[in-house]
Amino acid sequence: MSVATARTALPGGIRRDGTLLQISGLQVRYEIEPVAAVQEVSLTVRPGELVGVVGESGSGKTTVVRAALGVLPFNATVVSGQIAYGGADVTHWRDRQLARVRGPFVGYVPQDPATSLNPVKKIGRQVAEGILLHDRRLKAPEVRELALGKLVTAGLTEAERVYDQYPHELSGGMKQRALIAIALASDPALLIADEPTSALDVTVQKAILDHLDQLRARFNLGVLLVTHDLGIATERASRLVVMQRGRVVEELLVGKEAPAPQHPYTRRLIAAAPSVRSARLQPAGPTGPTGPAEARAARDPEAADILVVDQVSKHYRIGHGRGAANFAAVASASFAVARGTTHAIVGESGAGKTTIARLAVGLQTPDSGTIRFEGADTTSLSAAARREFRRRVQFVYQNPFSSLDPSFSVGRLLAEPLQVHQVLSGDGLRQRVRELVTAVRLDHSYLSRRPAELSGGQAQRVAIARALALNPQLVVLDEPVSSLDVSVQGQVLQLLVDLQARHGLTYLFISHDLGVVRLIADTVSVMRRGQVVEDGPVSRIFADPRDPYTRTLIGAIPGPSGGSQWHASYT
């Protein structure tokens, strides 16, 4: 039997036709900030329309979303302006009144499914709670049927299985679809999605956004999409609101023809967005003795290779008892990294990229095959040789905040590896720490700060400086810019290129984004399900991708033919 959710009567005369969300002259101030975080912001969302709000971290995007949902933190106040739902002014409604609107009128898709889903409740129960919150007359079988329907609507084909699973048993894309199902639980007219795909691979990202488009068309949903990614926004939105430092600096109509952005900030965001047309970044300052990357890569491969991965496999045991099975995270993977170059490993989540990275630095041991660094098999090193290997090969993690001790100052974080390896002490140690923070373009005043006092880009610079402390020859970078805004991402990538040229570094660069790979890598291996499906120079891979999966990855980069429709005009 098909069950339809009874639509809850909306308070205050809110209507589902006409303008769904209208924000006029909004100003929001935090007690600790001397300047308003949001200043005179205005925007509208109508049925069937997707409006994109773009800007860097700190531009005020999330504050606008929280104000619209009535969930500002206790130290934030709406100073002036108006927020209207379906023609009704809800600016100063109490939380109890707005609770009757969240769900039946406006659904919310948060950024991080890993922290937004309850880890101790099954997915089905979490969707059911969203349904029952606004209609407690439904019986258990009806609720289950509705919840399964929402999971299917959100694009989860195996809804019965997902219904009985916990969040940790799902992939990132499946978790995000579960959040969409929860947001749709009470049939809203308006959907607010705050960076819903920022942590996802490009192909999964495309699938999620394609599905949001289908839902918008099918249910005439109004969608407010908040993102720092201009490629996504220009590809999906009908109107684009660009925010900087709490203000709307430009609003643009987006159609088949590329619009003409006038504001310098919008143009800077466009220029920073990587695409398939991007050229490799070049060093901004003087280079070291190793010479240009192209010349290094053209040398005799046997003489130039610093890292060789040869037919490497790694299996994990999953499940328990009779149901346990071996899972091949990496299967007979081979590639080589030339000294002084950047070799990228690209692929979706589950492709085996991070396992390869951990094997390369000796954090795990392969089940078969060999890994040679400077000609020596890293799986059979003596204790002394292994200690030296770990000094010469360093690792930079995706999330700097999880890899930097929150109780340490930046100065102590940079000094620690030098002290552990007994390289320097006293004045020499203090001088080296100052050199490191300068090398990553941070002021010496940052040495007294702790990680919580840093932005994402600043924290990643500290992580890079820490990796450079021992003068390594090979640096393995695991998704080092995936969580950063495009302009900050560009700054960190340029920093890496400059450091490589100055110090003759070799990078093994792990990424799911071929647009980023285009900017920084000389060669690339494309991985899928543990196997290397394509390998070669970046220029050849982009010009003539031979494997269908590589073509899929390139096609999934936001924008027509991969990359923003504006990018070619402004770079």
Side-chain angles (χ1 to χ4, degrees):
M1 179 179 68
S2 175
V3 182
T5 304
R7 289 206 163 169
T8 307
L10 296 170
I14 293 175
R15 297 172 55 87
R16 289 175 173 267
D17 52 1
T19 301
L20 299 175
L21 173 65
Q22 182 163 5
I23 298 176
S24 307
L26 181 66
Q27 181 168 296
V28 179
R29 184 182 296 275
Y30 289 88
E31 291 177 4
I32 59 173
E33 296 292 338
V35 179
V38 169
Q39 305 174 56
E40 300 297 322
V41 168
S42 299
L43 60 87
T44 59
V45 182
R46 301 179 182 88
E49 181 181 46
L50 191 151
V51 176
V53 180
V54 298
E56 298 169 302
S57 294
S59 62
K61 308 186 304 294
T62 296
T63 298
V64 170
V65 166
R66 289 177 174 176
L69 292 169
V71 292
L72 283 169
F74 72 93
N75 63 341
T77 305
V78 175
V79 178
S80 61
Q82 184 187 71
I83 301 165
Y85 280 151
D89 185 353
V90 301
T91 313
H92 300 293
W93 278 21
R94 295 180 181 274
D95 188 67
R96 183 175 294 181
Q97 290 174 288
L98 284 169
R100 294 174 58 193
V101 177
R102 300 185 204 113
F105 183 80
V106 56
Y108 175 55
V109 183
Q111 177 176 358
D112 186 1
T115 58
S116 302
L117 292 168
N118 190 324
V120 298
K121 289 183 179 180
K122 292 181 179 180
I123 296 297
R125 182 179 172 187
Q126 296 188 54
V127 179
E129 285 176 348
I131 295 169
L132 285 170
L133 188 63
H134 299 284
D135 194 348
R136 295 193 174 277
R137 298 169 298 174
L138 296 170
K139 296 179 180 179
E142 296 173 321
V143 173
R144 178 182 173 86
E145 185 177 341
L146 277 172
L148 287 170
K150 298 302 179 186
L151 291 171
V152 171
T153 299
L156 288 159
T157 53
E158 298 180 5
E160 290 275 359
R161 177 173 63 83
V162 173
Y163 187 95
D164 291 316
Q165 287 184 302
Y166 290 97
H168 73 271
E169 298 177 285
L170 305 182
S171 69
M174 293 173 75
K175 290 176 188 174
Q176 197 60 272
R177 290 179 188 273
L179 284 178
I180 293 172
I182 294 169
L184 297 175
S186 296
D187 299 326
L190 171 68
L191 200 63
I192 297 179
D194 187 6
E195 300 275 11
T197 60
S198 63
L200 302 178
D201 301 333
V202 286
T203 50
V204 181
Q205 179 185 87
K206 184 178 186 300
I208 295 289
L209 293 171
D210 283 348
H211 196 70
L212 277 178
D213 274 344
Q214 293 166 13
L215 293 173
R216 180 174 57 84
R218 179 179 171 188
F219 299 109
N220 204 31
L221 270 176
V223 178
L224 184 68
L225 176 66
V226 178
T227 180
H228 66 259
D229 191 324
L230 259 173
I232 288 174
T234 56
E235 186 179 63
R236 304 287 173 168
S238 51
R239 285 188 293 114
L240 195 60
V241 176
V242 183
M243 290 189 65
Q244 182 189 27
R245 297 174 184 171
R247 295 183 180 275
V248 174
V249 297
E250 192 159 16
E251 183 168 348
L252 296 162
L253 290 174
V254 182
K256 293 182 179 179
E257 298 297 324
Q262 301 299 315
H263 198 277
Y265 176 71
T266 310
R267 291 173 178 253
R268 285 202 302 274
L269 288 179
I270 294 165
S275 80
V276 296
R277 304 182 185 93
S278 301
R280 192 191 192 282
L281 294 172
Q282 296 301 311
T287 61
T290 52
E294 292 82 358
R296 296 193 301 274
R299 294 175 186 168
D300 176 22
E302 290 300 320
D305 291 342
I306 189 172
L307 179 72
V308 177
V309 175
D310 186 17
Q311 294 293 307
V312 163
S313 296
K314 181 67 179 179
H315 295 78
Y316 296 113
R317 189 76 170 167
I318 57 173
H320 302 282
R322 293 183 178 179
N326 282 329
F327 168 70
V330 176
S332 300
S334 298
F335 61 88
V337 184
R339 187 186 307 280
T341 67
T342 298
H343 183 79
I345 306 290
V346 71
E348 298 171 309
S349 293
K353 308 186 302 295
T354 295
T355 300
I356 280 286
R358 294 176 67 84
L359 290 168
V361 298
L363 292 175
Q364 292 180 327
T365 304
D367 298 329
S368 60
T370 59
I371 298 174
R372 295 192 298 278
F373 176 75
E374 294 279 38
D377 187 345
T378 62
T379 61
S380 58
L381 297 175
S382 66
R386 180 161 296 279
R387 182 179 176 85
E388 178 63 14
F389 168 73
R390 287 177 173 166
R391 185 188 69 78
R392 296 162 68 192
V393 178
Q394 292 292 306
F395 199 100
V396 176
Y397 293 87
Q398 177 176 358
N399 183 356
F401 294 106
S402 66
S403 60
L404 300 175
D405 190 319
S407 67
F408 281 19
S409 67
V410 169
R412 187 177 174 187
L413 286 165
L414 299 184
E416 185 185 39
L418 295 162
Q419 293 170 318
V420 169
H421 285 267
Q422 300 178 345
V423 174
L424 290 169
S425 62
D427 290 341
L429 176 63
R430 285 186 286 273
Q431 177 61 29
R432 177 60 175 156
V433 166
R434 288 193 291 271
E435 290 173 355
L436 287 167
V437 77
T438 300
V440 294
R441 299 175 192 148
L442 291 175
D443 188 82
H444 289 177
S445 62
Y446 283 87
L447 291 172
S448 61
R449 298 189 188 185
R450 286 178 168 75
E453 300 174 271
L454 305 176
S455 69
Q458 291 166 349
Q460 196 60 282
R461 287 171 187 263
V462 171
I464 292 167
R466 181 178 162 89
L468 297 179
L470 297 169
N471 292 317
Q473 293 171 282
L474 172 67
V475 180
V476 180
L477 303 115
D478 189 7
E479 299 274 12
V481 297
S482 63
S483 61
L484 303 178
D485 298 336
V486 286
S487 56
V488 180
Q489 181 184 89
Q491 294 166 14
V492 173
L493 291 173
Q494 184 65 59
L495 172 66
L496 289 171
V497 169
D498 294 344
L499 290 170
Q500 182 179 56
R502 193 174 306 127
H503 302 290
L505 296 169
T506 304
Y507 294 143
L508 180 61
F509 190 92
I510 312 299
S511 180
H512 66 260
D513 190 338
L514 271 171
V516 169
V517 167
R518 178 84 170 188
L519 288 172
I520 196 169
D522 302 296
T523 53
V524 59
S525 294
V526 181
M527 290 191 71
R528 186 186 190 197
R529 297 175 183 172
Q531 296 182 318
V532 175
V533 298
E534 191 157 7
D535 182 86
V538 166
S539 55
R540 199 278 297 165
I541 295 291
F542 274 80
D544 183 26
R546 295 165 187 174
D547 191 89
Y549 177 67
T550 309
R551 292 195 288 270
T552 298
L553 287 179
I554 293 173
I557 298 173
S561 302
S564 168
Q565 58 182 305
W566 292 339
H567 198 277
S569 302
Y570 292 96
T571 56

